[in-house]
Amino acid sequence: MVRCVFFIVFLFTFCSWAQQPLTSNQKFHKTSGDVLVVALPALALGSTFIWDDESDGTLQFTKSFIATSATVYVMKLLIDKERPSGESLNSFPSGHTAISFASAAFFQKRYGWKVGVPAYALAAYVGYSRIKSDKHDKWDVLAGALIGAGFSYLFTKKYNMDNKVSVSLGTVERYTTVGLTYRF
């Protein structure tokens, strides 16, 4: 019994020693990536209601989201790749990146490049944040991006917006602004 307790304490100590605490820069990237991985799919799903997309867009996004999530989950269980930080064996593929790219690809395929480009930029940042926070390497992120975008391209059809949405860039007192206009 004493040996078992000693072994557990040793194992816990070794595992916590193997994990290096995140620097403030890594914490920032991790937190911002965690926020975006929730915000992007929420915006993608919300866009189907805002743009009166009926049930087609909602169903299409839901299919791609579920297929992406299930594929990532199964692959993580089957592959058992260690994270760069050493904290677990579920590094491949990056789930955060897969969900973000599924959302971005949905925006682009459904509503066009005007909406897709900013969404892809945010999704790419999520992938970058996973590498910077030492959760994944570039192969994990690349695989997640391909899985997410692939399922969205498979399930999503173009929506005829009839010039309802426009995106614009500008400056106001030396600050760069991004405008999104929706016509009812």
Side-chain angles (χ1 to χ4, degrees):
M1 178 68 173
V2 173
R3 285 187 217 166
C4 183
V5 170
F6 176 75
F7 179 73
I8 291 171
V9 168
F10 171 77
L11 188 60
F12 179 75
T13 305
F14 178 76
C15 289
S16 63
W17 172 76
Q19 288 178 254
Q20 299 295 326
L22 297 177
T23 65
S24 62
N25 187 26
Q26 289 173 316
K27 284 180 188 176
F28 169 78
H29 289 298
K30 181 184 180 314
T31 302
S32 56
D34 289 344
V35 168
L36 285 172
V37 78
V38 173
L40 281 170
L43 288 170
L45 187 60
S47 71
T48 65
F49 298 108
I50 292 169
W51 289 323
D52 196 24
D53 198 353
E54 313 252 332
S55 63
D56 289 346
T58 305
L59 182 61
Q60 291 169 20
F61 179 73
T62 302
K63 284 179 183 178
S64 66
F65 183 84
I66 290 172
T68 298
S69 300
T71 301
V72 167
Y73 181 74
V74 168
M75 288 180 75
K76 282 180 179 284
L77 289 176
L78 293 176
I79 294 175
D80 277 345
K81 181 182 175 196
E82 185 176 8
R83 290 186 185 270
S85 64
E87 70 184 83
S88 66
L89 294 175
N90 59 357
S91 182
F92 187 86
S94 170
H96 280 65
T97 307
I99 295 300
S100 299
F101 270 87
S103 303
F106 173 80
F107 275 126
Q108 183 270 313
K109 181 106 187 257
R110 188 84 178 147
Y111 305 117
W113 283 105
K114 285 183 179 180
V115 180
V117 169
Y120 274 122
L122 292 172
Y125 175 76
V126 171
Y128 172 79
S129 76
R130 302 307 286 167
I131 293 170
K132 287 302 280 184
S133 62
D134 212 21
K135 298 292 182 184
H136 295 284
D137 62 25
K138 63 183 174 186
W139 299 111
D140 302 338
V141 168
L142 179 62
L146 292 173
I147 291 166
F151 278 119
S152 280
Y153 264 77
L154 180 67
F155 292 117
T156 306
K157 306 286 184 257
K158 185 163 178 55
Y159 176 66
N160 185 9
M161 294 178 45
D162 295 327
N163 296 321
K164 288 184 178 182
V165 177
S166 64
V167 178
S168 60
L169 294 173
T171 57
V172 175
E173 295 180 19
R174 300 182 335 214
Y175 295 103
T176 303
T177 61
V178 177
L180 179 64
T181 306
Y182 176 72
R183 290 180 203 85
F184 294 93

